[in-house]
Amino acid sequence: MTAPEIRQQFLDFFVSKGHHIVPSSPIVVKNDPTLLFTNAGMNQFKDYFLGNRAPAWKRVADTQKCLRVSGKHNDLEEVGIDTYHHTMFEMLGNWSFGDYFKKEAIDWSWELLTEVYKLPKDRLYVTVFEGDAKENLEKDQEAFDFWKQHVPEDRILMGNKKDNFWEMGDTGPCGPCSEIHVDCRPDEERAKVDGKTLVNADNPQVIEIWNNVFMQFNRLKDRSLESLPAKHVDTGMGFERLVRVIQGKFSNYDTDIFSGTIQHTEQLTHLKYGGTDNKQDVAFRVIADHIRAICFTIADGQLPANTGAGYVIRRILRRAVRYYFSFLEQKKPLLHELVPVLAQQFANVFPELQQQVDFVKKVVFEEENNFLRTLDSGIRRIEDFMGNAKQKSIDGRTAFELYDTYGFPYDLTSLIAAENSFSVDEKGFEAAMKEQKDRSRAATELDMGDWTILDENPASTFVGYELSETHTSVTKYRKIKAKGKEQYQLVLAQTPFYAESGGQVGDTGTLSFNGESITVTDTKKENNLIVHFVDKLPADVTTSVKAEINRNNRLNTTLNHSATHLLHAALRQVLGTHVAQKGSLVNPEYLRFDFSHFAKVTDEELAQIEDIVNEKIRANIPVVIKEMPKDEAMQLGAMALFGEKYGDVVRVVIMDPAYSVELCGGTHIGATGELGLFKFTSEGAVAAGVRRIEAVTGGNALTFVNEQLQQLKDIKAAIKNAKEPVKAIETLIQDKAALEKQLEVLEQEKVRQLSASLLQQVEQVNGINFLGKVVEAGSADALKQLCFNLKNEISNHVLLFAANIAGKANVALMISDNLVAEKGLEAPKIIKEKIAPLIKGGGGGQKSFATAGGQEAGQLQQVIAQVKGML
RNA sequence: GGGGGAUUAGCUCAGUUGGCUAGAGCGCUUGCAUGGCAUGCAAGAGGUCACCGGUUCGACUCCGGUAUUCUCCA
């Protein structure tokens, strides 16, 4: 059975049990401060379990893209070493939201594994929660009894709270779970060691494949548990492991999920994958695993970056590069070649990659190149260090500096060191690393207080599409403390405040409690909750409150948001439909729009785009906003964004059905004419294949144009209102250059004349050609010039020039090389010992030429005499 | 968000206790050589040393700030 068949059978099976199949949510998580990436199938259903939202279907199944790069068994550095852990993986899951419970879940999982997938029953083990006295929890007898219908009792194992009781977080829904493990060892080994002793014991051949969670409790603040009125089922089965088991492979990497990329890597490197534990084979696995994580996160809109989620992608990509660089002897970008292979493989499951394959490839290529350059310069740096080292060792501080400042991986440092029989102080490195981590942690410490709940119903309704103010009440609030600054977060029963989302910034405004006015500085989303940020609490938080947004800011933001839609459509019209939104910022001042495009947008194209947008503004198109099923919206040709999660009912913003139809939750104006005017303020690049446009609308656009006009007016005035200002300025610049050149020639001539006259005044002192003069000079540089002009005219020389420049003494002394060698005369010595004290200053230079300066300019003649006297 | 670097010619980079007429390689221009090309030889152009302020007789160099960028951590 092929992997796609196995996936399809899972979905078909649960359809036959009355489940609705939903698409995978994006792998990159938005609006959840506790999570960077989707790490479990249930993430997208969190609100259902929390009761923040009612589920649209009671039975759901899907395959979910997940990413795990930290945690006990999923340390990034471990992936590829073994045969069954991954960064990105697919999680197959089925859910019941207050519908079926333990019996069905257990029956169906058994049926699917043994009847459909035909796994041998005697190789399966199940675990059941054994109970926990401290929590006053009983053994999950129900689950045990249901399993007994299918599995002999000696293969039903009891598990403790750590393995068999699942909690979403510190508080919230939780419950016992039941895992299914499979023993893949050969029969001889199974005869020797009983499989049940190896369950949950980190044996690579005895692995968990499916976890069924039965949510029946709610964990309260005080750590106590209460029964949930509605009980849920939440399951997750690792797709890669399942396929491996069904296909009877020794390793996940031997399945057809990974074999395509591995074969392609073999072709590119002319090496062979052997499936062993040696470094070369580890490298093959690392690449096969990491390329998936890289591609799907980029396709979901997360570009490599140096903070947050983007930094995680960058680290994964760099780890892959490190492995092919060190162990596959590849010094050129390789990963990007695998992107089309992967896109093809997943075209039917996760089409977003295939749809953006050129873009993803380009981003990966640039990122690889970038890191290879970093490696290159790091290697130069480390070789440089070893070349100058007195001992054959690299201290921890240096190793850490290479890593921390120059991004050079520690394992490469240690590898290169070993090749040159250098040792590395690993302890010192670790210590420096720990210091860095502690510092960072201390700086980001965020003290988040408990919610104080005033109203048990946590639902929070947004009324800001229609209203700019409303009377409501606070449902809960809490204190947060970040970097010594105290703030409060409030949640209202109803709110006109728009929470930052889809690039549109959160509203600001005021909350009035009994006449006490509190300023809202920002509004953000936490999952589906709208959180208002304020600097202080009112005297009485329980009274009714008038919530009022800053209307002017909202209006300007709204103008910019509508303009963003017009711009997006115009970009696709002029540049092509490959243009996809990669980022957007909409605030009261301006709009910023990042999109995929591979070339600079030319001035002509920009003008054309701007024209189209302004044309649409003048056409005063009514903006129609409708809610409709997603399928219907897609039929209208609505633009949806990659990496954005949409519900089944979507909000559609239409500005002429033939021009712009977008799924959007933001605020918009009534008709495009309200925008007044649209002007670009800048165009540039932000990353490989991503361009950024900034623009202004309405009053801001007018201000912008007026400023530009004023500037032009000022320029014209500055050049006496010349008829052709551009030509006048060009002439001015040309003339200036010509004059500068002339001036230079004249000054050189002047110095030449001075030199010539000085040449006549050379004296013989002790067989030395001595020339010492106090001269007029405009700068210390001129004295230097004099010396260098004359040095070729006079041999066997000591040249000394002094000048009073702006009240300060400046001296230049030149001694011909032969005198330096023969008589031991050294310019810096003379400067420091004989001249500097006279002029109250200092100086130095090289043996044949040195300069000095000082505060006392009255002693210049004595300087000359002093030097002359010592010859 | 916190730490550490970097910013010098069109590009890649040197510049060693503050004083070297700011350099190298590649590229560019011109000339010469070779039947042509790859190329070789020679000459030359090209720099507000990111920006602003400070210390100093003197700052590419030291100090502070700003901008941009790289990098590590969270």
Side-chain angles (χ1 to χ4, degrees):
Chain A
M1 219 183 304
T2 66
E5 285 166 359
I6 292 168
R7 187 191 291 111
Q8 197 54 50
Q9 285 196 349
F10 177 89
L11 299 174
D12 289 347
F13 177 82
F14 280 102
V15 166
S16 78
K17 307 292 183 194
H19 288 65
H20 178 78
I21 305 301
V22 300
S24 171
S25 71
I27 197 163
V28 184
V29 173
K30 289 174 185 163
N31 296 329
D32 187 342
T34 63
L35 220 49
L36 286 179
F37 299 99
T38 300
N39 64 2
M42 57 74 62
N43 287 164
Q44 65 166 316
F45 307 116
K46 217 165 149 182
D47 277 337
Y48 298 162
F49 296 129
L50 289 169
N52 288 349
R53 205 150 44 109
W57 287 277
K58 294 195 153 202
R59 297 180 182 188
V60 162
D62 72 358
T63 177
Q64 171 68 47
K65 291 174 282 184
C66 296
L67 189 76
R68 288 186 189 171
V69 287
S70 57
K72 197 174 124 219
H73 290 295
N74 274 83
D75 191 359
L76 176 59
E77 289 302 324
E78 299 298 322
V79 174
I81 311 283
D82 66 30
T83 56
Y84 62 108
H85 280 106
H86 299 291
T87 50
M88 185 210 141
F89 57 94
E90 280 182 66
M91 188 78 106
L92 302 170
N94 57 292
W95 284 270
S96 153
F97 306 116
D99 191 38
Y100 64 84
F101 204 44
K102 291 179 192 176
K103 178 172 172 28
E104 293 84 345
I106 286 171
D107 286 350
W108 291 339
S109 59
W110 189 258
E111 182 185 342
L112 178 64
L113 290 181
T114 60
E115 307 285 322
V116 178
Y117 292 140
K118 308 243 186 282
L119 293 183
K121 293 179 182 174
D122 66 333
R123 284 177 177 265
L124 297 177
Y125 295 84
V126 299
T127 65
V128 169
F129 181 50
E130 66 186 1
D132 190 291
K134 230 168 52 191
E135 296 268 8
N136 200 18
L137 285 169
E138 288 175 8
K139 168 183 171 186
D140 190 354
Q141 188 64 44
E142 284 179 293
F144 186 86
D145 292 341
F146 291 132
W147 276 123
K148 233 166 43 180
Q149 312 289 315
H150 308 290
V151 189
E153 277 189 44
D154 68 330
R155 290 214 310 278
I156 304 176
L157 311 171
M158 290 298 137
N160 59 17
K161 193 180 150 211
K162 190 181 121 269
D163 285 329
N164 284 80
F165 194 85
W166 190 90
E167 305 204 34
M168 194 168 75
D170 292 341
T171 59
C174 55
C177 59
S178 194
E179 300 167 345
I180 303 169
H181 294 251
V182 57
D183 184 352
C184 304
R185 294 173 304 152
D187 287 334
E188 316 84 81
E189 279 188 44
R190 290 175 65 215
K192 273 185 243 160
V193 181
D194 189 352
K196 76 178 174 196
T197 64
L198 299 173
V199 167
N200 271 333
D202 280 339
N203 184 307
Q205 298 302 318
V206 183
I207 52 175
E208 173 196 338
I209 53 170
W210 204 345
N211 191 6
N212 280 250
V213 180
F214 310 117
M215 290 206 223
Q216 57 188 116
F217 301 110
N218 187 26
R219 172 79 73 185
L220 299 176
K221 278 264 162 3
D222 61 6
R223 307 295 304 147
S224 68
L225 294 166
E226 66 178 13
S227 265
L228 281 179
K231 298 183 179 12
H232 314 291
V233 173
D234 161 25
T235 85
M237 174 153 60
F239 177 63
E240 291 75 11
R241 291 180 181 190
L242 175 70
V243 172
R244 163 197 165 182
V245 170
I246 292 175
Q247 295 184 350
K249 302 290 189 189
F250 174 76
S251 146
N252 292 7
Y253 294 93
D254 296 335
T255 66
D256 57 345
I257 301 174
F258 294 98
S259 56
T261 35
I262 288 180
Q263 277 163 22
H264 209 81
T265 310
E266 288 179 330
Q267 283 166 24
L268 292 169
T269 58
H270 306 293
L271 297 170
K272 209 79 193 138
Y273 174 63
T276 72
D277 284 343
N278 71 30
K279 293 282 194 186
Q280 182 179 313
D281 288 341
V282 170
F284 271 105
R285 289 195 288 271
V286 164
I287 290 168
D289 175 273
H290 290 9
I291 187 67
R292 292 169 18 117
I294 295 161
C295 284
F296 285 106
T297 43
I298 295 175
D300 270 350
Q302 181 59 61
L303 294 169
N306 56 7
T307 55
Y311 183 52
V312 176
I313 313 307
R314 177 164 283 173
R315 270 169 55 194
I316 295 173
L317 186 143
R318 290 184 168 194
R319 182 164 184 262
V321 174
R322 232 161 70 209
Y323 269 89
Y324 72 62
F325 185 87
S326 296
F327 305 117
L328 300 182
E329 298 307 320
Q330 290 294 306
K331 310 297 174 195
K332 293 227 171 83
L334 169 93
L335 297 175
H336 69 282
E337 302 274 12
L338 300 174
V339 178
V341 181
L342 205 60
Q344 183 61 40
Q345 184 182 339
F346 283 93
N348 293 323
V349 197
F350 306 123
E352 59 274 13
L353 182 54
Q354 181 70 30
Q355 285 160 13
Q356 305 175 86
V357 63
D358 291 336
F359 171 72
V360 175
K361 193 176 167 183
K362 169 119 178 165
V363 170
V364 171
F365 177 74
E366 291 292 331
E367 189 68 19
E368 281 186 274
N369 253 323
N370 225 318
F371 186 54
L372 287 169
R373 269 201 297 275
T374 300
L375 288 183
D376 231 37
S377 69
I379 287 169
R380 275 211 305 278
R381 216 167 266 281
I382 192 172
E383 281 173 351
D384 199 45
F385 176 86
M386 290 190 300
N388 292 325
K390 298 202 166 58
Q391 297 153 347
K392 290 238 159 201
S393 68
I394 299 176
D395 57 296
R397 199 188 52 77
T398 301
F400 184 70
E401 185 186 281
L402 278 166
Y403 174 67
D404 179 61
T405 303
Y406 302 103
F408 196 71
Y410 177 81
D411 52 1
L412 278 189
T413 297
S414 117
L415 200 75
I416 292 172
E419 280 168 7
N420 293 274
S421 44
F422 268 64
S423 66
V424 188
D425 174 16
E426 189 172 353
K427 274 198 184 134
F429 175 84
E430 295 294 344
M433 188 71 163
K434 184 174 180 305
E435 227 173 90
Q436 154 101 314
K437 288 188 177 181
D438 290 346
R439 208 177 20 237
S440 283
R441 225 173 262 131
T444 42
E445 208 144 71
L446 183 74
D447 186 12
M448 216 177 270
D450 277 337
W451 285 110
T452 302
I453 296 177
L454 302 177
D455 181 350
E456 278 300 331
N457 181 7
S460 172
T461 320
F462 177 64
V463 294
Y465 290 132
E466 301 86 22
L467 305 174
S468 57
E469 65 171 85
T470 189
H471 289 272
T472 179
S473 61
V474 175
T475 58
K476 57 180 178 177
Y477 65 92
R478 69 178 168 191
K479 182 157 115 179
I480 55 168
K481 208 164 149 186
K483 290 204 277 181
K485 213 182 120 201
E486 281 185 8
Q487 266 195 321
Y488 293 88
Q489 298 183 333
L490 303 182
V491 179
L492 304 175
Q494 282 196 342
T495 181
F497 284 80
Y498 184 83
E500 178 182 334
S501 173
Q504 180 173 339
V505 296
D507 275 324
T508 57
T510 52
L511 301 177
S512 307
F513 294 83
N514 261 341
E516 183 185 2
S517 183
I518 305 276
T519 304
V520 175
T521 56
D522 201 0
T523 312
K524 289 186 184 198
K525 255 189 193 176
E526 203 169 305
N527 296 311
N528 263 15
L529 226 49
I530 298 169
V531 180
H532 306 75
F533 288 71
V534 297
D535 289 333
K536 60 169 188 171
L537 278 184
D540 183 3
V541 74
T542 61
T543 92
S544 81
V545 52
K546 187 174 90 175
E548 189 177 7
I549 60 168
N550 180 325
R551 290 185 178 79
N552 195 40
N553 279 352
R554 163 69 86 78
L555 173 64
N556 284 324
T557 304
T558 297
L559 292 179
N560 283 332
H561 201 152
S562 295
T564 301
H565 285 215
L566 293 178
L567 168 64
H568 192 177
L571 283 170
R572 290 171 67 94
Q573 198 172 314
V574 173
L575 302 178
T577 49
H578 63 277
V579 167
Q581 175 173 332
K582 289 295 161 198
S584 167
L585 173 72
V586 181
N587 66 26
E589 280 78 44
Y590 70 106
L591 66 96
R592 191 175 76 197
F593 192 75
D594 298 344
F595 57 97
S596 50
H597 184 58
F598 293 124
K600 183 177 165 54
V601 185
T602 64
D603 288 344
E604 291 75 29
E605 286 166 337
L606 279 177
Q608 209 182 333
I609 293 160
E610 201 177 74
D611 282 350
I612 292 173
V613 173
N614 280 312
E615 210 174 277
K616 297 295 173 189
I617 290 171
R618 286 193 304 273
N620 200 22
I621 303 161
V623 178
V624 179
I625 298 175
K626 281 191 211 159
E627 297 215 331
M628 60 177 83
K630 190 177 167 194
D631 295 342
E632 198 179 313
M634 296 325 255
Q635 273 171 16
L636 280 179
M639 262 189 288
L641 304 181
F642 293 112
E644 204 63 54
K645 174 73 190 166
Y646 297 104
D648 300 298
V649 175
V650 292
R651 190 166 178 267
V652 186
V653 177
I654 305 163
M655 301 176 188
D656 177 356
Y659 181 68
S660 166
V661 182
E662 259 187 79
L663 305 189
C664 177
T667 63
H668 289 274
I669 37 98
T672 58
E674 292 174 49
L675 297 181
L677 179 64
F678 175 88
K679 289 303 284 183
F680 287 130
T681 52
S682 80
E683 193 276 338
V686 275
V690 182
R691 308 297 302 182
R692 167 171 293 177
I693 277 182
E694 292 178 343
V696 287
T697 58
N700 290 329
L702 194 60
T703 308
F704 174 74
V705 170
N706 283 336
E707 278 169 7
Q708 297 287 312
L709 286 175
Q710 186 60 42
Q711 213 172 58
L712 182 60
K713 221 166 126 187
D714 293 344
I715 291 170
K716 277 186 177 165
I719 52 168
K720 315 287 181 227
N721 290 315
K723 275 210 177 101
E724 293 174 87
V726 177
K727 210 175 157 197
I729 290 171
E730 278 168 1
T731 312
L732 215 54
I733 291 170
Q734 274 170 20
D735 288 356
K736 178 174 169 284
L739 286 171
E740 274 172 352
K741 198 92 193 166
Q742 262 182 42
L743 190 64
E744 205 184 309
V745 170
L746 282 174
E747 270 178 354
Q748 274 170 6
E749 180 56 26
K750 209 172 119 191
V751 172
R752 233 194 317 277
Q753 281 177 13
L754 182 59
S755 306
S757 85
L758 285 170
L759 213 47
Q760 310 302 315
Q761 305 177 39
V762 174
E763 301 169 56
Q764 287 286 323
V765 181
N766 260 342
I768 295 169
N769 290 319
F770 177 71
L771 179 55
K773 285 289 170 217
V774 176
V775 296
E776 297 267 321
S779 70
D781 226 35
L783 296 180
K784 201 190 273 178
Q785 280 296 336
L786 268 182
C787 288
F788 280 91
N789 275 334
L790 289 167
K791 75 182 258 195
N792 293 328
E793 308 291 327
I794 310 165
S795 62
N796 204 34
H797 58 250
V798 171
L799 307 176
L800 177 64
F801 298 108
N804 177 335
I805 298 165
K808 285 172 181 169
N810 277 268
V811 181
L813 172 65
M814 177 167 271
I815 300 169
S816 60
D817 292 336
N818 63 312
L819 289 178
V820 173
E822 290 160 19
K823 300 217 169 184
L825 292 170
E826 289 181 11
K829 214 172 155 192
I830 298 170
I831 284 274
K832 279 181 184 145
E833 290 172 7
K834 305 291 176 189
I835 297 173
L838 279 175
I839 57 175
K840 287 190 182 150
Q846 56 180 14
K847 281 183 181 174
S848 62
F849 178 75
T851 57
Q855 290 153 309
E856 185 55 65
Q859 306 275 325
L860 297 179
Q861 289 301 344
Q862 283 86 326
V863 167
I864 309 284
Q866 174 89 317
V867 174
K868 188 175 173 183
M870 65 168 287
L871 293 175

